[in-house]
Amino acid sequence: MATTMAMKVVDFSFQSIAGKLERMLEEEASLLAGVEDDVRYIVAELKSIIAFLTNMSTRRNLNDRMQNWVREVREVAYDAEDSIDEFECHLRSTPYDELGAKGLFMRFCHCLKSLKARHSVASELKKLKVEVEDIRKRHDRYSHPNEATSFATATGLDMADRYSDPRIIRHFVEEAQLVGIDQSRDTLIEWVMDENCLDLTTISLVGFGGLGKTTLMKTIYENPIIVGGHFQSQAWITVSQNYNIKELLKKIIRQIFINEQQIRDVSGCRDASLNTEQLLNMMDESQLVHTIRGHLHGKRYLIAFDDVWSIEAWESLHISLPPGKKGSRVIVTTRNEEVANISCSRNHQFIFKVSLLSFELSWELFSRRVFQALDYHCPPELINFGRKILQKCDGLPLAIVTIRGLLASKPDKNLEEWKELCDHLSFEIETNDMLSKINQILILSYNDLPYYLKPCFLFLDIFPEDYVIRRKRLMRWWIAQGIVSGVGGLSAEKVAERYFKELVSRSLVQPSEFDENGTVKSCYIHDMMLDVIISISKKENFVVSLNEQSNIPPQHQKIRRLSWHRKSSGLVPADTDLRHLRFFAAFGKHVPLKDYRKQRLLRAIDLEGCGNLFHRHPKSFSKLCLLKYLSLRNSELLELPNSIGDLQNIEFLDIRGTFIEELPNTIVKLTKLVHLLSGPYLKVYSLKIYRIRAPGLKVPKGIRRLKKLRMLGMVCADNVQSLQEIGELVDLQKLAICFGIYGLHLARGMPEEISTLLSKLNGSLRSLIILHLADGNLNKTLDEVASPPLLLCKLKIDAELGGLPAWIASLKQVVKINLRRTRLPLQDLQVLRNLHSLVKLVLGFHAFDNQDLVFVRGGFTHLKFLEIHCHSVSFQKGAVQSLQILKMTSFTGYSVDGIEHLHSLREVHIYTEKEDIIEMVKNIAANHSNRPKCVVATDPYVI
């Protein structure tokens, strides 16, 4: 399995190198004088190797020699890319834009360096040609039939086939039905037996490996109510990853008891000497389908398809099942949400997401076998270790049942053995034969990934255990590292979105938060799945993660991606070779790296949350000419140095949550910058002096030169020139902008220029945040926008308006609106209720001038999230019928009424100091038809 991963990673690496060399041939031909033929030879050979590796990626359980060869190929690929990037780094590093003698001298030095770089790349390319020729020889040797095809085991079975065996899977999860299954089983049986639904209906059970989907389906399939004759024909078919559609169709025929004469009629064979099996073997796929459809036509049948991995498999099987109105049912288990969606395309209400067990149910499942006493009593000295083991299992029945089996096999409940297992559980799962089945089941999901998702998924090894992963952060890492790029007219961001959705769909990452569009905003990785990732990543030298349990890698290992966790033992030793480092992320206050000048190949640095940066770190970034991604978010940094302008390839710069109030003038040299993000208004401590940070970042003259910017803000525009320059950034999709200074009026000409700015950006803006700090009303300024940005999806206004601009009513695509200090009249609530795409509405402090808000029947047709601060609120019957989450901050003097009328409500969050409101909300939630979750807090930041 690890070999398959290696093949895919190498495949990706060679494609990257071949693409870079081809671009160099096209764009920098003069710089490759004398080695053009070598480059063309290398490109051709690399493409040949890619084809070979793609073919080999379908083979599993390769011998040791082949695995060693793959590792060598991978390192050659990485080394080759390092050489090419080093050349590009020398070539493209331009001297500082100086005039006079100093500038002339610097340009002369740069020319000398370019000559040296040309000589260096010629030498490196010749070496690479020799390496590639050697790879070709190995390719010829290992593609010999006796070598390349000897991948089967002694039993003749492929490794994946053994792991896909449903008998093995059921062996590990069958006892999970003893706890926590009753409610799920009863719901599903109700769906199966529903007499009001007579059309052929598919029910899909979806979730990642080891949750007990097969067990749950088995309890339904074998339930006495169903077995007792309700269905005229039944069949259970296990599909798995490596299926043969003809064999599966034959299994259906055997189980639904089609008589031999029917088979003869379809096949047209009259030879009486042939038995049923021989007849089936003679039939083609279409005949088998025709046989099944003919037999099931007009009958009420139940077919169970277990472990369906692909849409193709589902469609090939589903075509054999005739529709009808007899109440027939098809039940599917799958790890892939796309399969569930396609199979239940007629009615998505029959998609059942199998969830992890609660800790209480996990403990019950764990203790029932480990402790044989009737009360399943756990000795007090073992409770702590047992709980820690279950925390690692995180509700996964497969892991719980397997680990408990190991502990139950030891008659003496030895404290030291439990402690040893608890402290080294990941290692035991990887090496212990009894526990290795957990990884074998989970790794099937890896095996099913297409090659382009392999490196994306391995990137998850960078995050610490139990870390909440933001979708956008992960996607931007992929793009900066070059493993995701634009294709077929789609931008790199769109491709990354698709890749992330596919990982979610395959149940490989678990959603933890959704945005107003229902898109996964953040996610996490199950601990057991993370262990599998770490194991593969370590073998393939994909990521080196330093934490409290890891050791510094050996000196001969070339570290290309480094992740430092806050629980790590300390700094990276000075003699560690980091010259090949391409990616570095730190999770914690203290960063192990202080100087980055020698890590010239770095493409991405993420120092979010690190507190010891100050001046030293940013100054050393200036030598990183290949750097595309730099995050200093929440790093307590005071300023950026002028040398930041040397990062000619930077595309993403995040300085949110820092003390930086002004950008250096050299920032305008970063013409490839796409995302420039600074933080919102913050109150912070700096050098023991209480200070209030400016709410927006001051931008220098010349910001208009950053033509590729798509995200900008929060920026402070306190003069006409700044507004005019920002208005020339016509590709801006997201803009957060602050106008004016506290206690002062807008400067002359600024109101008109604000209107002009929004008109200039009307075709590109999708997200707009406006913060107005100066005295005076902003309503007229916004109301007079000649061509308003009507394509906005998100809008936040923190400014005094007195009334909504007329064009707000025409925002047909807006899904989120946040209003604060706007002091609107109550009639503007009618404007908001008629925005039919609106999903989330936040009404902050003084959003409305009248503090008593009444939501009447009708309107707000798609509103699911409503957040209200410092307003009394009441809901009449029929109001806000789609509302699912209600959040309120209600101090003394404010009230809430009518929550019982919100029939779709799922969650109520309230911050208040009034005991009567707390009790009222709790009582309403307890008696509400939906029994919504109720969260009450006295700290507004908890809400």
Side-chain angles (χ1 to χ4, degrees):
M1 196 66 63
T3 304
T4 303
M5 173 63 78
M7 294 289 191
K8 294 301 186 182
V9 173
V10 174
D11 183 346
F12 165 78
S13 299
F14 276 132
Q15 287 189 35
S16 175
I17 299 166
K20 285 184 178 183
L21 288 174
E22 285 185 315
R23 284 195 299 273
M24 289 175 71
L25 278 173
E26 293 174 3
E27 301 170 9
E28 310 288 353
S30 62
L31 300 173
L32 300 177
V35 291
E36 302 101 314
D37 292 339
D38 291 343
V39 172
R40 290 190 177 90
Y41 172 83
I42 292 168
V43 170
E45 289 300 292
L46 288 177
K47 289 182 176 180
S48 177
I49 292 171
I50 291 170
F52 171 69
L53 290 174
T54 301
N55 176 57
M56 293 303 292
S57 67
T58 61
R59 312 290 176 85
R60 301 179 182 89
N61 204 27
L62 299 177
N63 59 42
D64 291 340
R65 283 197 299 165
M66 186 64 83
Q67 292 187 43
N68 288 333
W69 176 79
V70 169
R71 279 190 286 270
E72 290 177 10
V73 168
R74 181 195 64 229
E75 289 304 315
V76 168
Y78 284 144
D79 288 344
E81 190 167 17
D82 286 351
S83 298
I84 295 168
D85 286 344
E86 188 70 44
F87 170 67
E88 277 199 273
C89 197
H90 282 295
L91 182 69
R92 300 188 187 280
S93 57
T94 56
Y96 190 75
D97 191 13
E98 293 270 2
L99 298 175
K102 183 178 179 181
L104 182 63
F105 177 74
M106 293 180 71
R107 282 188 286 274
F108 174 72
C109 291
H110 179 66
C111 289
L112 291 179
K113 287 182 179 180
S114 296
L115 289 173
K116 184 179 179 181
R118 293 185 194 188
H119 177 74
S120 175
V121 75
S123 300
E124 290 297 327
L125 288 172
K126 287 184 180 296
K127 289 180 184 177
L128 181 57
K129 180 181 178 182
V130 173
E131 293 274 13
V132 171
E133 287 174 340
D134 187 46
I135 291 173
R136 161 59 66 187
K137 293 175 183 176
R138 297 186 188 200
H139 165 274
D140 293 338
R141 179 163 66 249
Y142 285 115
S143 61
H144 188 277
N146 292 334
E147 292 282 356
T149 60
S150 60
F151 59 93
T153 63
T155 61
L157 291 174
D158 187 292
M159 185 183 296
D161 292 333
R162 291 205 315 276
Y163 294 168
S164 298
D165 188 341
R167 293 169 296 179
I168 293 178
I169 298 177
R170 281 200 293 270
H171 171 72
F172 288 112
V173 297
E174 62 186 358
E175 295 182 63
Q177 64 182 308
L178 299 178
V179 299
I181 205 172
D182 294 351
Q183 185 175 350
S184 300
R185 179 198 59 213
D186 294 345
T187 298
L188 291 167
I189 289 177
E190 195 174 301
W191 290 358
V192 171
M193 303 295 290
D194 188 358
E195 294 182 357
N196 295 321
C197 185
L198 297 178
D199 289 328
L200 173 62
T201 301
T202 300
I203 300 167
S204 286
L205 281 62
V206 62
F208 71 97
L211 282 175
K213 300 182 296 295
T214 299
T215 299
L216 181 56
M217 185 166 73
K218 187 179 179 183
T219 64
I220 301 159
Y221 186 83
E222 296 178 350
N223 190 279
I225 298 175
I226 292 173
V227 174
H230 181 77
F231 293 99
Q232 295 164 280
S233 290
Q234 286 185 226
W236 177 291
I237 306 299
T238 299
V239 183
S240 74
Q241 283 179 326
N242 302 306
Y243 65 91
N244 181 308
I245 190 64
K246 288 184 65 176
E247 290 302 318
L248 295 180
L249 294 173
K250 286 191 280 187
K251 286 182 180 179
I252 297 175
I253 291 172
R254 295 186 192 105
Q255 292 188 42
I256 61 178
F257 302 111
I258 300 178
N259 63 52
E260 187 175 299
Q261 188 55 52
Q262 286 179 282
I263 297 172
R264 288 185 183 278
D265 290 343
V266 175
S267 66
C269 179
R270 303 299 179 211
D271 187 345
S273 66
L274 298 179
N275 59 30
T276 301
E277 284 301 313
Q278 290 172 321
L279 290 170
L280 290 177
N281 291 335
M282 291 174 55
M283 300 173 75
D284 60 26
E285 186 177 322
S286 62
Q287 289 176 319
L288 294 171
V289 169
H290 186 68
T291 302
I292 297 170
R293 290 179 68 91
H295 180 76
L296 295 179
H297 180 71
K299 292 185 174 65
R300 183 189 300 120
Y301 58 85
L302 172 64
I303 308 294
F305 291 125
D306 186 29
D307 202 24
V308 181
W309 285 81
S310 67
I311 294 172
E312 293 76 16
W314 161 252
E315 291 178 340
S316 297
L317 291 166
H318 183 250
I319 196 174
S320 66
L321 306 178
K325 295 186 176 295
K326 298 290 185 179
S328 295
R329 298 289 184 266
V330 179
I331 310 178
V332 174
T333 69
T334 181
R335 303 187 190 192
N336 193 330
E337 284 189 8
E338 287 189 6
V339 172
N341 290 331
I342 292 295
S343 62
C344 295
S345 58
R346 293 184 179 179
N347 199 335
H348 282 181
Q349 78 173 67
F350 293 112
I351 297 176
F352 189 91
K353 294 187 177 181
V354 183
S355 57
L356 296 162
L357 296 177
S358 67
F359 185 83
E360 291 74 18
L361 290 175
S362 297
W363 183 261
E364 183 180 349
L365 178 62
F366 175 74
S367 56
R368 281 195 176 189
R369 184 176 173 190
V370 175
F371 311 111
Q372 298 298 326
L374 292 177
D375 59 356
Y376 315 118
H377 179 68
C378 175
E381 67 273 13
L382 298 181
I383 289 178
N384 187 44
F385 295 114
R387 288 182 177 276
K388 287 183 178 179
I389 290 171
L390 287 186
Q391 286 173 354
K392 183 73 174 178
C393 295
D394 193 19
L396 185 66
L398 166 68
I400 298 169
V401 172
T402 308
I403 292 171
R404 81 173 189 182
L406 174 66
L407 293 173
S409 67
K410 302 177 184 298
D412 298 325
K413 302 299 180 282
N414 186 285
L415 178 62
E416 287 302 316
E417 285 186 347
W418 279 53
K419 183 179 185 302
E420 185 72 15
L421 179 63
C422 181
D423 292 343
H424 304 95
L425 185 57
S426 297
F427 176 76
E428 290 292 333
I429 289 174
E430 190 172 350
T431 58
N432 188 301
D433 287 342
M434 288 189 68
L435 301 183
S436 63
K437 303 299 188 296
I438 298 174
N439 277 3
Q440 292 173 2
I441 300 297
L442 295 178
I443 209 168
L444 291 174
S445 296
Y446 289 94
N447 183 49
D448 192 57
L449 283 173
Y451 79 91
Y452 54 82
L453 282 182
K454 296 286 187 178
C456 294
F457 198 75
L458 279 185
F459 243 88
L460 296 172
D461 183 20
I462 289 168
F463 294 98
E465 190 176 13
D466 300 325
Y467 195 87
V468 177
I469 302 165
R470 298 195 306 273
R471 180 190 88 250
K472 289 184 178 179
R473 187 183 191 185
L474 179 61
M475 287 166 36
R476 286 162 180 162
W477 285 358
W478 293 344
I479 294 169
Q481 285 286 282
I483 65 175
V484 173
S485 56
V487 61
L490 290 176
S491 66
E493 288 80 7
K494 292 291 185 182
V495 175
E497 286 275 6
R498 291 190 176 189
Y499 288 2
F500 183 84
K501 287 180 181 177
E502 191 166 352
L503 291 179
V504 173
S505 173
R506 291 171 175 268
S507 304
L508 289 171
V509 295
Q510 310 306 310
S512 60
E513 185 181 3
F514 296 85
D515 67 12
E516 53 280 350
N517 290 316
T519 302
V520 177
K521 190 175 180 179
S522 61
C523 64
Y524 69 96
I525 318 163
H526 192 281
D527 286 350
M528 295 292 175
M529 192 68 81
L530 181 59
D531 287 342
V532 175
I533 297 172
I534 291 171
S535 175
I536 296 174
S537 177
K538 189 180 297 183
K539 289 176 183 177
E540 304 310 323
N541 190 22
F542 193 82
V543 174
V544 173
S545 295
L546 299 180
N547 53 48
E548 72 275 22
Q549 296 177 341
S550 61
N551 298 315
I552 299 299
Q555 289 301 303
H556 67 273
Q557 182 176 339
K558 294 176 180 177
I559 302 175
R560 294 187 169 85
R561 299 174 188 89
L562 178 63
S563 175
W564 182 87
H565 300 173
R566 57 183 171 271
K567 295 181 181 180
S568 180
S569 57
L571 301 181
V572 178
D575 59 347
T576 304
D577 184 7
L578 298 177
R579 292 173 301 162
H580 303 273
L581 198 62
R582 301 175 182 185
F583 178 95
F584 176 64
F587 298 88
K589 279 288 183 182
H590 301 288
V591 191
L593 297 181
K594 300 292 185 183
D595 194 331
Y596 300 85
R597 286 174 293 184
K598 293 182 180 179
Q599 286 79 55
R600 294 172 60 86
L601 301 182
L602 272 167
R603 296 171 177 81
I605 299 176
D606 195 314
L607 302 178
E608 181 176 325
C610 299
N612 63 334
L613 301 187
F614 301 105
H615 302 284
R616 199 171 167 193
H617 285 262
K619 286 184 178 179
S620 69
F621 296 150
S622 62
K623 301 297 182 182
L624 307 179
C625 62
L626 299 178
L627 195 68
K628 290 186 175 183
Y629 176 104
L630 177 59
S631 177
L632 305 171
R633 186 174 180 177
N634 300 329
S635 64
E636 301 178 8
L637 198 64
L638 298 174
E639 63 180 14
L640 288 176
N642 283 328
S643 57
I644 199 76
D646 294 338
L647 302 180
Q648 295 296 301
N649 284 300
I650 194 80
E651 296 177 4
F652 180 92
L653 178 60
D654 189 349
I655 52 174
R656 287 173 288 183
T658 66
F659 296 110
I660 300 170
E661 298 183 5
E662 188 171 358
L663 290 172
N665 293 332
T666 55
I667 201 79
V668 301
K669 295 170 61 179
L670 307 182
T671 55
K672 293 185 179 180
L673 200 59
V674 178
H675 307 276
L676 176 55
L677 305 177
S678 64
Y681 172 86
L682 292 174
K683 290 183 179 180
V684 292
Y685 285 92
S686 173
L687 303 178
K688 299 183 179 180
I689 300 174
Y690 185 70
R691 63 199 293 266
I692 298 178
R693 220 214 79 164
L697 188 71
K698 292 183 180 179
V699 295
K701 181 180 179 181
I703 194 73
R704 67 179 183 276
R705 293 169 59 183
L706 306 184
K707 297 297 186 183
K708 291 190 176 182
L709 272 182
R710 293 204 299 272
M711 295 180 64
L712 177 62
M714 171 71 69
V715 293
C716 184
D718 55 4
N719 57 67
V720 170
Q721 182 182 357
S722 295
L723 291 170
Q724 289 174 339
E725 292 209 31
I726 293 172
E728 294 186 38
L729 304 175
V730 294
D731 287 333
L732 276 182
Q733 296 177 4
K734 297 184 179 181
L735 173 64
I737 190 166
C738 168
F739 305 124
I741 302 174
Y742 290 105
L744 299 178
H745 291 279
L746 289 178
R748 180 178 296 180
M750 281 192 66
E752 295 80 8
E753 201 58 51
I754 291 172
S755 299
T756 302
L757 166 69
L758 295 178
S759 291
K760 286 181 178 179
L761 302 179
N762 69 338
S764 62
L765 277 184
R766 298 296 185 272
S767 175
L768 175 63
I769 298 176
I770 294 176
L771 174 58
H772 181 223
L773 301 177
D775 288 342
N777 191 304
L778 203 62
N779 179 268
K780 183 179 179 182
T781 299
L782 296 182
D783 208 26
E784 292 181 351
V785 177
S787 301
L790 299 182
L791 299 179
L792 284 177
C793 298
K794 298 179 182 180
L795 173 64
K796 179 177 180 179
I797 301 177
D798 186 349
E800 185 176 341
L801 295 180
L804 287 174
W807 52 267
I808 298 291
S810 301
L811 297 178
K812 304 301 182 184
Q813 299 181 34
V814 69
V815 295
K816 179 180 178 181
I817 291 181
N818 187 326
L819 302 173
R820 184 176 184 273
R821 297 191 302 116
T822 47
R823 295 188 176 276
L824 305 177
L826 279 178
Q827 56 263 35
D828 276 351
L829 195 59
Q830 178 69 31
V831 176
L832 298 176
R833 69 196 294 268
N834 290 330
L835 298 174
H836 298 299
S837 295
L838 191 63
V839 175
K840 183 172 183 177
L841 176 62
V842 179
L843 301 177
F845 179 73
H846 284 310
F848 281 82
D849 206 26
N850 188 320
Q851 302 302 309
D852 297 326
L853 302 180
V854 179
F855 288 80
V856 299
R857 176 186 294 273
F860 292 114
T861 53
H862 289 87
L863 192 69
K864 295 181 180 179
F865 306 86
L866 177 61
E867 188 171 337
I868 300 177
H869 298 264
C870 302
H871 289 78
S872 293
V873 59
S874 63
F875 301 96
Q876 296 182 356
K877 287 184 179 180
V880 207
Q881 289 298 285
S882 297
L883 192 66
Q884 297 178 2
I885 299 176
L886 174 63
K887 295 187 177 184
M888 295 174 293
T889 301
S890 182
F891 296 96
T892 301
Y894 300 106
S895 62
V896 58
D897 185 41
I899 294 179
E900 66 274 13
H901 298 145
L902 305 176
H903 298 301
S904 298
L905 198 62
R906 295 180 182 177
E907 297 179 21
V908 180
H909 301 251
I910 184 166
Y911 165 64
T912 182
E913 297 171 349
K914 297 181 67 175
E915 291 294 333
D916 57 333
I917 292 182
I918 291 175
E919 288 303 314
M920 181 192 70
V921 172
K922 284 184 175 180
N923 289 333
I924 291 174
N927 296 313
H928 195 282
S929 58
N930 282 357
R931 298 291 178 90
K933 174 183 175 183
C934 186
V935 179
V936 178
T938 56
D939 181 355
Y941 296 103
V942 174
I943 299 298

